[in-house]
Amino acid sequence: MAVRHPKLAMEVDNAAHFVQILFIIGLTIIIGLQKTVLFFTRRPKLKGTAAFISGIVLILLRWPLIGFLIELYGIFILFGDFFATIGSFAYNIPVVGPYIAKALNSASQAGGGRRNAEIPV
């Protein structure tokens, strides 16, 4: 039976919080504050935004697994339109590229294709 070390668990939780903050800050730095707000508040993206923020809140409230799953759903809704683009880029990665591209293209098509293709960037 594995014993979870409290100090290690706290460090992992803190790292997860730090990653969430860095993601939001990084996105804001890359596309700007106004475009970030526009992206997250567009009507077709509100469901994904609510799921993403709810996931972050659940992670901060120490419900990491449920929070991660809800946040993953939000990311899929928010950024699902870009999977095909990422897949075409990933195709050039040696050895694993074609497999990654195929998986991302399948995920993009399963999510309805390019339903919200207009981006604020």
Side-chain angles (χ1 to χ4, degrees), residues 2 10 23-24 26-27 53 64 78 103 108:
M10 186 170 47
F23 175 75
I24 302 286
L27 186 64
I53 291 172
L78 287 170
S108 177

Side-chain angles (χ1 to χ4, degrees), residues 10-69:
M10 186 170 47
E11 289 176 9
V12 170
D13 288 342
N14 289 338
H17 300 165
F18 190 63
V19 168
Q20 305 300 328
I21 293 167
L22 285 179
F23 175 75
I24 302 286
I25 291 172
L27 186 64
T28 305
I29 289 172
I30 290 172
I31 66 173
L33 181 61
Q34 184 179 8
K35 290 181 181 181
T36 302
V37 171
L38 178 66
F39 178 77
F40 281 104
T41 57
R42 285 191 332 195
R43 191 158 200 64
K45 302 286 186 180
L46 286 178
K47 185 177 174 182
T49 301
F52 181 72
I53 291 172
S54 299
I56 291 174
V57 168
L58 286 172
I59 290 172
L60 293 174
L61 293 174
R62 303 209 184 271
W63 287 69
L65 181 61
I66 296 171
F68 173 73
L69 293 175

Side-chain angles (χ1 to χ4, degrees), residues 92-103:
N92 294 323
I93 299 172
V95 181
V96 296
Y99 301 108
I100 294 171
K102 184 177 179 182

